[in-house]
Amino acid sequence: MHSRRLVAATLLAACVANAQTTMATTADELVAAAKRAAGSDHAGTFLRICIAPDNLNGSPRLPPARAVPDRATWYAHPYKVFDNLYFLGTQIHSAWAITTSAGIIVIDTLFDYATEPEIVDGLSALGLAPKDIKYVLISHAHGDHDQGAAMLQSRYGAKVVMGAADWESTLQRPASAPGGVPKRDIAVGPEGLKITLGDTTVDVIATPGHTPGTLSYLFPVRDGNRTLTVAYSGGTAFNFPRAAQNFAIYRDSASKMAAAARAAGATIVMSNHTEFDRAWDRVRIAQLPRAAGEKHPYEIGIESVQRYFEMMRDCAEAQRLSMN
Ligand SMILES: [Zn+2]
Protein backbone atom coordinates (compact mmCIF):
# COMPACT_ATOMS: atom_id res chain seq x y z
CA MET A 1 0.00 0.00 0.00
CA HIS A 2 2.67 2.41 1.03
CA SER A 3 4.84 1.60 -1.92
CA ARG A 4 1.92 1.96 -4.34
CA ARG A 5 1.14 5.37 -2.90
CA LEU A 6 4.81 6.28 -3.24
CA VAL A 7 4.81 5.20 -6.87
CA ALA A 8 1.69 7.27 -7.54
CA ALA A 9 3.20 10.28 -5.83
CA THR A 10 6.42 9.86 -7.76
CA LEU A 11 4.56 9.59 -11.05
CA LEU A 12 2.55 12.70 -10.23
CA ALA A 13 5.71 14.62 -9.36
CA ALA A 14 7.37 13.51 -12.57
CA CYS A 15 4.29 14.53 -14.54
CA VAL A 16 4.24 17.98 -12.97
CA ALA A 17 7.98 18.42 -13.47
CA ASN A 18 7.72 17.48 -17.15
CA ALA A 19 4.35 19.06 -17.82
CA GLN A 20 5.66 20.84 -20.88
CA THR A 21 6.83 17.65 -22.54
CA THR A 22 4.50 14.96 -21.25
CA MET A 23 1.21 16.76 -21.81
CA ALA A 24 1.90 17.42 -25.48
CA THR A 25 2.15 14.25 -27.50
CA THR A 26 1.17 15.27 -31.01
CA ALA A 27 2.75 17.73 -33.42
CA ASP A 28 -0.23 20.06 -33.11
CA GLU A 29 -0.09 19.98 -29.31
CA LEU A 30 3.63 20.72 -29.41
CA VAL A 31 3.09 23.71 -31.70
CA ALA A 32 0.44 24.95 -29.26
CA ALA A 33 2.85 24.42 -26.36
CA ALA A 34 5.56 26.27 -28.26
CA LYS A 35 3.17 29.15 -28.95
CA ARG A 36 2.38 29.40 -25.24
CA ALA A 37 6.09 29.26 -24.40
CA ALA A 38 6.85 31.96 -26.97
CA GLY A 39 4.25 34.32 -25.54
CA SER A 40 4.51 37.79 -26.97
CA ASP A 41 8.21 38.12 -26.18
CA HIS A 42 9.47 35.43 -28.58
CA ALA A 43 6.77 35.59 -31.24
CA GLY A 44 9.15 36.28 -34.11
CA THR A 45 11.24 33.18 -33.49
CA PHE A 46 8.10 31.09 -33.01
CA LEU A 47 6.76 32.20 -36.39
CA ARG A 48 10.04 31.46 -38.12
CA ILE A 49 10.59 27.92 -36.84
CA CYS A 50 7.15 26.61 -35.85
CA ILE A 51 4.95 27.93 -38.67
CA ALA A 52 5.92 26.69 -42.15
CA PRO A 53 9.61 26.25 -41.30
CA ASP A 54 12.18 26.89 -44.00
CA ASN A 55 12.83 23.22 -44.78
CA LEU A 56 9.16 22.19 -45.01
CA ASN A 57 9.43 21.30 -48.68
CA GLY A 58 12.76 19.52 -48.53
CA SER A 59 16.14 21.02 -47.83
CA PRO A 60 16.34 24.61 -48.96
CA ARG A 61 19.68 25.65 -50.27
CA LEU A 62 21.46 28.54 -48.66
CA PRO A 63 21.20 31.79 -50.57
CA PRO A 64 23.81 31.92 -53.35
CA ALA A 65 26.73 34.29 -53.24
CA ARG A 66 25.39 37.64 -54.27
CA ALA A 67 26.38 41.15 -55.00
CA VAL A 68 26.66 43.53 -52.08
CA PRO A 69 23.15 44.73 -51.31
CA ASP A 70 22.33 48.41 -51.09
CA ARG A 71 24.03 49.68 -47.93
CA ALA A 72 20.86 51.43 -46.77
CA THR A 73 19.19 48.02 -46.45
CA TRP A 74 21.71 46.66 -43.95
CA TYR A 75 24.10 49.22 -42.44
CA ALA A 76 23.66 49.83 -38.72
CA HIS A 77 25.56 52.16 -36.43
CA PRO A 78 27.59 50.53 -33.66
CA TYR A 79 26.38 50.91 -30.07
CA LYS A 80 27.60 50.32 -26.54
CA VAL A 81 24.86 48.10 -25.10
CA PHE A 82 26.30 46.96 -21.76
CA ASP A 83 29.40 48.24 -19.94
CA ASN A 84 31.40 45.40 -21.53
CA LEU A 85 29.32 44.58 -24.63
CA TYR A 86 29.10 46.44 -27.94
CA PHE A 87 26.79 45.86 -30.91
CA LEU A 88 28.70 45.70 -34.21
CA GLY A 89 25.98 44.09 -36.31
CA THR A 90 23.90 45.08 -39.29
CA GLN A 91 20.16 45.68 -39.26
CA ILE A 92 19.78 41.95 -39.99
CA HIS A 93 22.72 40.08 -38.44
CA SER A 94 24.42 40.58 -35.10
CA ALA A 95 28.09 40.78 -34.26
CA TRP A 96 29.25 41.69 -30.79
CA ALA A 97 32.41 42.76 -29.00
CA ILE A 98 32.96 41.69 -25.41
CA THR A 99 35.64 43.85 -23.83
CA THR A 100 37.86 42.27 -21.18
CA SER A 101 40.91 43.25 -19.13
CA ALA A 102 43.12 41.59 -21.76
CA GLY A 103 41.51 42.45 -25.09
CA ILE A 104 38.37 41.92 -27.13
CA ILE A 105 36.30 38.82 -27.92
CA VAL A 106 34.24 39.19 -31.10
CA ILE A 107 31.15 37.02 -31.52
CA ASP A 108 30.19 36.42 -35.16
CA THR A 109 31.53 38.30 -38.15
CA LEU A 110 28.70 38.99 -40.65
CA PHE A 111 28.92 38.75 -44.46
CA ASP A 112 32.32 39.80 -45.79
CA TYR A 113 31.03 43.09 -47.19
CA ALA A 114 29.92 44.15 -43.68
CA THR A 115 32.98 43.12 -41.69
CA GLU A 116 35.07 46.21 -42.36
CA PRO A 117 32.36 48.89 -42.00
CA GLU A 118 30.60 47.26 -39.04
CA ILE A 119 33.28 45.45 -37.01
CA VAL A 120 36.56 47.25 -37.82
CA ASP A 121 35.19 50.75 -38.29
CA GLY A 122 32.54 50.14 -35.61
CA LEU A 123 35.14 49.33 -32.95
CA SER A 124 37.14 52.43 -33.92
CA ALA A 125 34.04 54.62 -33.79
CA LEU A 126 33.36 53.33 -30.27
CA GLY A 127 36.89 54.17 -29.15
CA LEU A 128 38.04 50.55 -29.17
CA ALA A 129 41.05 49.18 -31.09
CA PRO A 130 40.51 46.41 -33.65
CA LYS A 131 44.08 45.23 -33.02
CA ASP A 132 42.92 44.21 -29.52
CA ILE A 133 40.68 41.44 -30.94
CA LYS A 134 42.07 38.24 -29.42
CA TYR A 135 39.27 35.77 -30.12
CA VAL A 136 36.64 35.46 -32.82
CA LEU A 137 33.83 33.07 -31.89
CA ILE A 138 31.79 31.75 -34.82
CA SER A 139 28.37 30.47 -33.81
CA HIS A 140 28.08 28.44 -37.01
CA ALA A 141 29.64 28.17 -40.44
CA HIS A 142 27.14 30.00 -42.61
CA GLY A 143 28.30 33.00 -44.62
CA ASP A 144 26.14 35.53 -42.81
CA HIS A 145 28.12 34.86 -39.60
CA ASP A 146 31.57 33.65 -40.62
CA GLN A 147 32.76 35.48 -43.73
CA GLY A 148 34.77 37.99 -41.69
CA ALA A 149 36.69 35.35 -39.73
CA ALA A 150 39.61 34.93 -42.15
CA MET A 151 40.28 38.67 -42.31
CA LEU A 152 40.18 39.18 -38.52
CA GLN A 153 42.47 36.16 -38.12
CA SER A 154 45.05 37.26 -40.69
CA ARG A 155 45.02 41.01 -39.98
CA TYR A 156 44.91 40.99 -36.18
CA GLY A 157 46.11 37.50 -35.29
CA ALA A 158 42.81 36.71 -33.59
CA LYS A 159 42.17 33.08 -32.69
CA VAL A 160 39.09 31.71 -34.47
CA VAL A 161 36.85 29.37 -32.46
CA MET A 162 34.37 27.12 -34.29
CA GLY A 163 32.60 23.83 -33.77
CA ALA A 164 34.72 20.92 -35.00
CA ALA A 165 32.14 19.82 -37.59
CA ASP A 166 31.80 23.37 -38.93
CA TRP A 167 35.59 23.63 -39.34
CA GLU A 168 35.35 20.59 -41.61
CA SER A 169 32.81 22.26 -43.91
CA THR A 170 34.63 25.61 -43.78
CA LEU A 171 37.98 24.13 -44.80
CA GLN A 172 36.36 22.58 -47.89
CA ARG A 173 35.53 26.01 -49.29
CA PRO A 174 37.53 27.29 -52.27
CA ALA A 175 40.07 30.02 -51.53
CA SER A 176 37.91 32.30 -53.70
CA ALA A 177 34.97 32.01 -51.27
CA PRO A 178 33.66 35.42 -50.11
CA GLY A 179 35.87 36.62 -47.26
CA GLY A 180 38.39 33.83 -47.87
CA VAL A 181 38.93 30.75 -45.71
CA PRO A 182 40.30 30.99 -42.16
CA LYS A 183 43.14 28.70 -41.14
CA ARG A 184 42.12 25.85 -38.85
CA ASP A 185 42.30 27.14 -35.31
CA ILE A 186 40.39 26.24 -32.13
CA ALA A 187 37.87 23.43 -32.73
CA VAL A 188 35.14 22.78 -30.17
CA GLY A 189 33.92 19.24 -29.65
CA PRO A 190 30.67 17.97 -28.12
CA GLU A 191 32.00 18.59 -24.59
CA GLY A 192 32.25 22.36 -25.17
CA LEU A 193 34.99 24.70 -24.02
CA LYS A 194 35.62 27.68 -21.78
CA ILE A 195 37.35 30.65 -23.38
CA THR A 196 38.95 32.91 -20.78
CA LEU A 197 40.47 36.26 -21.72
CA GLY A 198 41.66 38.40 -18.82
CA ASP A 199 38.80 38.80 -16.35
CA THR A 200 36.09 37.29 -18.58
CA THR A 201 35.08 33.72 -19.39
CA VAL A 202 32.76 32.67 -22.19
CA ASP A 203 31.22 29.24 -21.69
CA VAL A 204 31.09 27.71 -25.17
CA ILE A 205 28.38 25.05 -25.47
CA ALA A 206 28.07 22.65 -28.40
CA THR A 207 24.47 22.88 -29.65
CA PRO A 208 24.36 20.97 -32.96
CA GLY A 209 21.17 21.21 -34.99
CA HIS A 210 21.11 24.30 -37.19
CA THR A 211 24.52 23.06 -38.39
CA PRO A 212 26.46 20.06 -37.04
CA GLY A 213 28.96 22.37 -35.35
CA THR A 214 26.68 25.11 -34.01
CA LEU A 215 27.96 26.75 -30.81
CA SER A 216 25.98 28.67 -28.21
CA TYR A 217 27.39 30.75 -25.38
CA LEU A 218 26.94 31.91 -21.83
CA PHE A 219 28.79 35.06 -20.83
CA PRO A 220 28.54 37.88 -18.30
CA VAL A 221 27.54 41.46 -19.06
CA ARG A 222 27.79 44.38 -16.68
CA ASP A 223 24.97 46.86 -16.27
CA GLY A 224 26.19 49.44 -13.78
CA ASN A 225 26.88 47.58 -10.55
CA ARG A 226 24.96 44.46 -11.66
CA THR A 227 26.37 41.50 -13.57
CA LEU A 228 23.89 39.62 -15.75
CA THR A 229 24.28 36.43 -17.74
CA VAL A 230 23.56 36.19 -21.46
CA ALA A 231 22.43 32.96 -23.13
CA TYR A 232 23.46 33.37 -26.78
CA SER A 233 21.65 31.00 -29.13
CA GLY A 234 24.01 30.14 -31.98
CA GLY A 235 21.62 28.66 -34.56
CA THR A 236 17.89 28.97 -35.00
CA ALA A 237 16.25 28.47 -38.40
CA PHE A 238 15.19 25.05 -39.66
CA ASN A 239 17.09 25.24 -42.95
CA PHE A 240 19.03 22.01 -42.45
CA PRO A 241 18.10 18.82 -44.35
CA ARG A 242 14.61 17.76 -43.28
CA ALA A 243 15.33 14.49 -41.47
CA ALA A 244 13.88 13.20 -38.21
CA GLN A 245 17.35 12.70 -36.75
CA ASN A 246 18.28 16.34 -37.44
CA PHE A 247 15.21 17.58 -35.57
CA ALA A 248 16.03 15.24 -32.67
CA ILE A 249 19.56 16.65 -32.47
CA TYR A 250 18.20 20.21 -32.57
CA ARG A 251 15.58 19.37 -29.90
CA ASP A 252 18.19 17.91 -27.57
CA SER A 253 20.48 20.93 -28.01
CA ALA A 254 17.60 23.25 -27.10
CA SER A 255 17.02 21.22 -23.92
CA LYS A 256 20.74 21.27 -23.16
CA MET A 257 20.89 25.04 -23.61
CA ALA A 258 17.79 25.55 -21.44
CA ALA A 259 19.45 23.60 -18.63
CA ALA A 260 22.76 25.44 -19.01
CA ALA A 261 20.99 28.81 -19.08
CA ARG A 262 19.03 27.96 -15.94
CA ALA A 263 22.11 26.71 -14.11
CA ALA A 264 23.89 29.96 -14.98
CA GLY A 265 20.88 32.10 -14.03
CA ALA A 266 20.71 33.64 -17.51
CA THR A 267 18.21 36.50 -17.71
CA ILE A 268 19.06 37.61 -21.26
CA VAL A 269 18.74 35.73 -24.54
CA MET A 270 20.61 36.86 -27.62
CA SER A 271 20.77 35.56 -31.16
CA ASN A 272 22.84 36.16 -34.29
CA HIS A 273 19.84 37.30 -36.33
CA THR A 274 18.23 40.51 -35.16
CA GLU A 275 14.77 39.11 -35.98
CA PHE A 276 15.09 36.53 -33.19
CA ASP A 277 16.06 38.82 -30.30
CA ARG A 278 14.97 42.19 -31.74
CA ALA A 279 18.57 43.31 -31.44
CA TRP A 280 18.26 46.20 -33.86
CA ASP A 281 15.45 47.65 -31.72
CA ARG A 282 16.92 46.79 -28.34
CA VAL A 283 20.41 48.15 -28.91
CA ARG A 284 18.90 51.51 -29.78
CA ILE A 285 16.40 51.46 -26.91
CA ALA A 286 19.40 50.74 -24.67
CA GLN A 287 20.73 54.20 -25.54
CA LEU A 288 17.78 55.92 -23.83
CA PRO A 289 18.00 57.10 -20.22
CA ARG A 290 16.30 54.74 -17.77
CA ALA A 291 14.18 55.57 -14.76
CA ALA A 292 15.51 54.44 -11.38
CA GLY A 293 15.08 50.68 -11.11
CA GLU A 294 14.06 50.29 -14.77
CA LYS A 295 15.60 47.19 -16.30
CA HIS A 296 17.90 47.06 -19.28
CA PRO A 297 15.82 46.40 -22.43
CA TYR A 298 17.63 43.09 -22.93
CA GLU A 299 16.90 41.82 -19.42
CA ILE A 300 13.83 39.56 -19.76
CA GLY A 301 14.27 37.28 -16.74
CA ILE A 302 15.08 33.64 -16.14
CA GLU A 303 11.65 32.28 -17.03
CA SER A 304 11.42 34.12 -20.34
CA VAL A 305 14.87 32.80 -21.30
CA GLN A 306 13.68 29.31 -20.41
CA ARG A 307 10.55 29.72 -22.52
CA TYR A 308 12.71 30.70 -25.50
CA PHE A 309 14.59 27.41 -25.42
CA GLU A 310 11.44 25.39 -24.58
CA MET A 311 9.85 26.88 -27.69
CA MET A 312 12.86 25.85 -29.80
CA ARG A 313 12.67 22.35 -28.35
CA ASP A 314 8.93 21.95 -28.92
CA CYS A 315 9.02 23.37 -32.45
CA ALA A 316 11.76 20.87 -33.40
CA GLU A 317 9.92 17.97 -31.78
CA ALA A 318 6.69 19.00 -33.56
CA GLN A 319 8.45 18.84 -36.91
CA ARG A 320 10.04 15.49 -36.05
CA LEU A 321 6.65 14.03 -35.10
CA SER A 322 4.95 15.46 -38.16
CA MET A 323 7.29 13.43 -40.34
CA ASN A 324 6.12 10.11 -38.93
ZN1 LIG B 1 22.72 29.75 -40.40
Side-chain angles (χ1 to χ4, degrees), residues 22 48 50 98 131 136 143 149 154 191-192 195-196 199 270 297 299 303 309 313:
T22 54
R48 183 70 186 279
C50 243
I98 304 173
K131 68 174 175 49
V136 172
S154 62
E191 68 285 356
I195 296 285
T196 297
D199 57 1
M270 286 182 174
E299 187 179 358
E303 293 312 316
F309 292 106
R313 177 199 66 198

Side-chain angles (χ1 to χ4, degrees), residues 210-229:
H210 180 74
T211 66
T214 293
L215 302 176
S216 295
Y217 312 113
L218 295 166
F219 58 86
V221 287
R222 288 193 308 279
D223 182 34
N225 56 11
R226 302 173 69 215
T227 298
L228 308 170
T229 299

Side-chain angles (χ1 to χ4, degrees), residues 34-71:
K35 184 180 175 185
R36 280 195 301 276
S40 58
D41 36 352
H42 307 308
T45 312
F46 169 77
L47 273 176
R48 183 70 186 279
I49 63 176
C50 243
I51 306 299
D54 298 350
N55 65 6
L56 195 57
N57 298 309
S59 304
R61 288 152 57 92
L62 295 169
R66 54 208 162 110
V68 178
D70 180 0
R71 183 179 164 105

Side-chain angles (χ1 to χ4, degrees), residues 191-258:
E191 68 285 356
L193 189 70
K194 288 194 196 309
I195 296 285
T196 297
L197 182 64
D199 57 1
T200 303
T201 294
V202 178
D203 193 357
V204 181
I205 298 163
T207 52
H210 180 74
T211 66
T214 293
L215 302 176
S216 295
Y217 312 113
L218 295 166
F219 58 86
V221 287
R222 288 193 308 279
D223 182 34
N225 56 11
R226 302 173 69 215
T227 298
L228 308 170
T229 299
V230 174
Y232 186 100
S233 180
T236 312
F238 291 176
N239 56 1
F240 44 82
R242 189 172 176 82
Q245 178 64 12
N246 289 342
F247 285 115
I249 290 168
Y250 186 111
R251 173 202 65 198
D252 292 348
S253 289
S255 295
K256 179 183 184 182
M257 198 54 197

Side-chain angles (χ1 to χ4, degrees), residues 62 140 142 144-145 210-211 239 273:
L62 295 169
H140 68 266
H142 283 163
D144 46 352
H145 312 296
H210 180 74
T211 66
N239 56 1
H273 284 257

Side-chain angles (χ1 to χ4, degrees), residues 99-124:
T99 52
T100 81
S101 60
I104 295 169
I105 299 170
V106 165
I107 296 181
D108 288 323
T109 64
L110 314 172
F111 281 121
D112 69 324
Y113 60 78
T115 311
E116 188 88 37
E118 299 286 18
I119 297 180
V120 177
D121 296 346
L123 284 170
S124 300

